Amino acid sequence: MENRVDLNKTVTGETIEKYEKKKRHYQSDSVASKYDDIRFTKRSHRLRNKRKLDAVQKAISTARDLGWEIKSVLDIPCGTGRMFPLFLNNKITFNGADLSGEMMKVAKKRFGQSGLMQGMVRCDAENLPFKSKSIDSVVSIRFMFHIPESVRHNILREMTRISKSCLIIDYRHCYTLKYWIKKSLNTLGIGKPPSYRFSVKDLHNELNSAGITIVKVFPTLRLFSDKWVVLCKAK
Ligand SMILES: C[S@@+](CC[C@H](N)C(=O)[O-])C[C@H]1O[C@@H](n2cnc3c(N)ncnc32)[C@H](O)[C@@H]1O
């Protein structure tokens, strides 16, 4: 266990206060309308996005190679529909869910006409309005690092409850040059400590405690990117 700062701060995640701020942040037309431009317009961002989509594609293909059916997906949080092209390419019917109606409005405008979209629902990931084992797979991208540890546990349990087949979730890990340089400098008294990033052991513990086992981890760019796309399954 590292650097416990205050009682409200979890060791492996954000503070509740920051999380509540993040939730409010996305519930804004101006944030939602600029999200894609800020995240995915620059060349470096487009490449990063492509690496993430490629990793999610590998997770889908691996699950299918293992004989698991992925005909329906819940994308939570779907945001502005970043993952939707992937579902369309794979002929997967999908539901989008998000706490922000504003983000989903953008997604609906872009993809609402596509035949494979079943619907969009505004909800909190801690309480998914879907029946148990009603959807093949749950996909959750660019989300977990915003969430405090205790809340992540509830969310993972909800995702597991509704999914029949597997979960595809991205996490941020500590095996990058940037992380280790920051950490080394910090031990020498230079700069701030790096933000928490998952080790293999912490990831196993987190998923295990929510009743989930890891099937395969897909790094997006070894040593330079801290993103893992994790294919996992309820025990
Ligand atoms: C960084 S965006 C990620 C969206 C999308 N998956 C992507 O990769 O672009 C984070 C999203 O999480 C949503 N969100 C935050 N807390 C949530 C919660 N508790 N339940 C559902 N959605 C939440 C926000 O509204 C926002 O749209």
Side-chain angles (χ1 to χ4, degrees):
M1 295 260 175
E2 319 173 337
N3 308 339
R4 192 179 286 273
V5 178
D6 63 48
L7 288 178
N8 193 28
K9 183 165 174 72
T10 58
V11 180
T12 57
E14 283 297 358
T15 60
I16 296 284
E17 200 185 348
K18 265 186 158 177
Y19 173 48
E20 292 301 330
K21 204 168 152 195
K22 267 276 139 75
K23 283 194 201 173
R24 289 193 296 274
H25 172 75
Y26 289 104
Q27 297 184 52
S28 143
D29 278 323
S30 110
V31 169
S33 62
K34 289 185 202 130
Y35 182 81
D36 288 346
D37 280 348
I38 292 171
R39 296 265 168 233
F40 313 119
T41 304
K42 263 172 61 182
R43 186 170 179 273
S44 58
H45 293 174
R46 282 204 311 272
L47 289 174
R48 197 187 301 161
N49 187 43
K50 183 181 179 313
R51 286 196 295 268
K52 179 64 74 68
L53 292 174
D54 287 349
V56 177
Q57 177 62 61
K58 281 182 198 162
I60 292 172
S61 302
T62 302
R64 285 179 163 169
D65 289 347
L66 289 166
W68 301 339
E69 196 157 69
I70 308 192
K71 284 189 181 158
S72 60
V73 154
L74 171 68
D75 183 7
I76 168 86
C78 65
T80 55
R82 177 187 181 189
M83 292 294 128
F84 291 179
L86 206 58
F87 306 142
L88 293 170
N89 288 344
N90 284 277
K91 305 207 175 353
I92 295 171
T93 57
F94 59 95
N95 279 281
D98 202 291
L99 196 56
S100 163
E102 291 82 356
M103 293 287 274
M104 287 194 296
K105 203 159 72 185
V106 176
K108 203 166 184 179
K109 205 166 155 194
R110 291 172 65 202
F111 299 101
Q113 303 305 317
S114 77
L116 294 171
M117 189 205 272
Q118 288 196 314
M120 309 205 78
V121 51
R122 182 166 182 259
C123 64
D124 192 306
E126 277 192 90
N127 193 1
L128 296 172
F130 293 89
K131 288 191 182 139
S132 298
K133 307 294 168 210
S134 58
I135 291 181
D136 289 335
S137 179
V138 174
V139 171
S140 184
I141 304 300
R142 231 187 128 73
F143 188 40
M144 288 300 169
F145 72 102
H146 284 316
I147 317 289
E149 190 177 359
S150 57
V151 181
R152 286 202 307 271
H153 184 82
N154 298 339
I155 290 175
L156 288 168
R157 286 226 171 258
E158 262 304 80
M159 291 175 174
T160 311
R161 179 184 66 75
I162 68 163
S163 80
K164 275 192 273 194
S165 170
C166 60
L167 309 166
I168 297 172
I169 308 173
D170 88 327
Y171 273 93
R172 297 196 170 185
H173 64 81
C174 63
Y175 306 106
T176 58
L177 291 174
K178 188 176 166 190
Y179 180 90
W180 289 102
I181 291 169
K182 252 190 151 179
K183 194 172 164 107
S184 307
L185 288 175
N186 182 249
T187 52
L188 297 171
I190 304 166
K192 286 197 277 183
S195 302
Y196 175 79
R197 294 291 182 258
F198 274 83
S199 64
V200 170
K201 187 171 165 230
D202 285 354
L203 184 66
H204 272 281
N205 287 344
E206 159 134 333
L207 294 174
N208 198 33
S209 74
I212 299 169
T213 43
I214 297 174
V215 177
K216 193 159 181 185
V217 173
F218 302 91
T220 57
L221 185 65
R222 279 178 209 281
L223 288 180
F224 294 98
S225 164
D226 61 359
K227 318 289 188 308
W228 272 337
V229 170
V230 184
L231 172 65
C232 42
K233 201 171 176 35
K235 283 186 202 164

